[in-house]
Amino acid sequence: MSEPSRSQAHVHREPSDAATGPVGTRAPGVRRTAAGVGELVQAALPLIAEWLPTQRWYAGKGRPIAALTPVVGTPLQVGDPALLHLLLRVEHGGASAGPGDVYQLLLGIRSEQPASVGPMAVLGRLAGGTYDGATLYDAVHDPELTGRLLEHLATGDRFGSLSFRRTPGPGLPGNLPGRASTAEQSNSSVIYDTAFILKLFRRISPGTNPDLELSLALSRAGSTRIPRVAAWFECRLERSEPATLGLLQRYLADAEDGWELALDQVARLKGDPSPGNFAIEAHRLGRATAEVHRVLARTMPTARLDRARIAGLADAMSDRLDSAVAAVPGLMRYRPALRAAFQQLTAAHLDGLLVQRIHGDLHLGQAMRTPQGWVLLDFEGEPAKPLAERRLPQPALRDVAAMLRSFDYAAAHLLAGAPGQDPELALLASAWASRNRAAYCAGYTAGGGADPTGAPELMRALEIDKAVYEVVYEARHRPSWLPIPLAAINRLADSV
């Protein structure tokens, strides 16, 4: 980064300069003023309204947009190209629609569309005003502009209510271009060479995102079971606590995805039904999970639920079951047995139940095997849940139950594409899942976690709760996968 640009990066922009409210950025030769910023945003809104519903991370699919309201906008680079950071409130209308969702957009503006930006990232050409004819696009796909974002993280800049923050340690490089990852769905990620990965949270809520909160706690405690946090950025919204916008962590360039590793092992069963060695990896992954839970219990608040609060936990599971039955009537016949399992949870824990901060959405795809061992990723929790709910302490075994469900999903891939019902393949799949579920639980216990086999009522209730969620999700999004969680529901109901 040149010295002139470095000095500009350290300038503190007051809120009036950062254009809080209806905002935008500057085209070549245009003074950076709140009015100029607002002009750009108003020109961009029609393009945003058409483009936003096409994005994988947009949560309002199927609902017409009633209003788009700029919340905070910050020009992060001016000229050609320009980079605008925009928080935008999207409202869908209706009596029960609520205040709407806030989304984070990184918008690039160039006189000509860059070759690196594909058509799906282009919002269109701006019409009218100073920016007439300029191309507006998702800057996540522009290596030059995402490199500029890394520079702001490296220098710990502040632009009004938008703050970039670094963790102590070696300095960050400020000259790495970023490439957009294709792996995200609810968020977007940018990879910088083989050094760092920046997660950009798309749907924004006031408060610290659990991914940042827990990753920082684990990093500060010296845990090697997560990628080290290098920096993050945040914005204060409407007098609330700062909202996390992005998280920069070390990139695990030499790691293998846990889900892909499991599927590879499952695929080999068709030619070789021997157990293979994934059970060893499952045991190691269980140990890693327990280590993470132990650090979180030591560094974050814990609590003990009394009998009334345990009953409330069981009631919440029953309520989710009732909603699922309404959405997927095929669950109705299992309802009595599943509700009985939730009631048994209360009866089995009359002396209380310890809860703590957990991962919240653990599965094989959230685990990476490195040469040094297993590493866990993405402590955001289930993105569909409110942020305040995701930050609540939970039974640690909820993560264990979720991982057990992931082994079932991996095993089910053995049956994908098989003509009819192949009993031999079904037995192989069931045996693979059982073997790895047991190995994972044994590893979790060996790593200092509570023995899952010592709390059968809790484990059954938590696994049912997860499978009920899966039934609704698959019915809505992947109907061909619905038999996977339904098979688990049938098994778990029979065990009550």
Side-chain angles (χ1 to χ4, degrees), residues 115-172:
S116 62
V117 177
M120 295 301 293
V122 175
L123 282 71
R125 287 194 175 271
L126 295 164
T130 308
Y131 316 95
D132 187 43
T135 299
L136 184 72
Y137 59 94
D138 182 5
V140 169
H141 299 271
D142 186 331
E144 178 183 348
L145 293 183
T146 52
R148 182 61 173 156
L149 199 60
L150 182 62
E151 291 179 1
H152 291 311
L153 288 162
T155 49
D157 296 333
R158 180 181 172 193
F159 299 82
S161 59
L162 183 64
S163 299
F164 294 85
R165 304 184 63 182
R166 282 182 45 194
T167 57
L172 298 175

Side-chain angles (χ1 to χ4, degrees), residues 177-201:
R179 70 182 189 276
S181 170
T182 59
E184 296 284 358
Q185 293 187 357
S186 58
N187 300 296
S188 298
S189 286
V190 178
I191 300 168
Y192 295 96
D193 194 32
T194 59
F196 299 98
I197 183 168
L198 174 65
K199 179 193 282 190
L200 296 167
F201 300 106

Side-chain angles (χ1 to χ4, degrees), residues 13-20 23-27 31-34 36-37 40 72-79 82-86 107 109 148 152 158-160 162 164:
R13 274 83 168 180
E14 293 300 329
S16 60
D17 195 26
T20 302
V23 290
T25 188
R26 184 179 73 167
R31 292 173 56 208
R32 176 166 28 89
T33 65
V37 165
L40 171 60
V72 178
T74 308
L76 297 180
Q77 177 166 305
V78 296
L83 176 61
L84 170 69
H85 181 272
L86 179 63
L107 300 175
I109 303 100
R148 182 61 173 156
H152 291 311
R158 180 181 172 193
F159 299 82
L162 183 64
F164 294 85

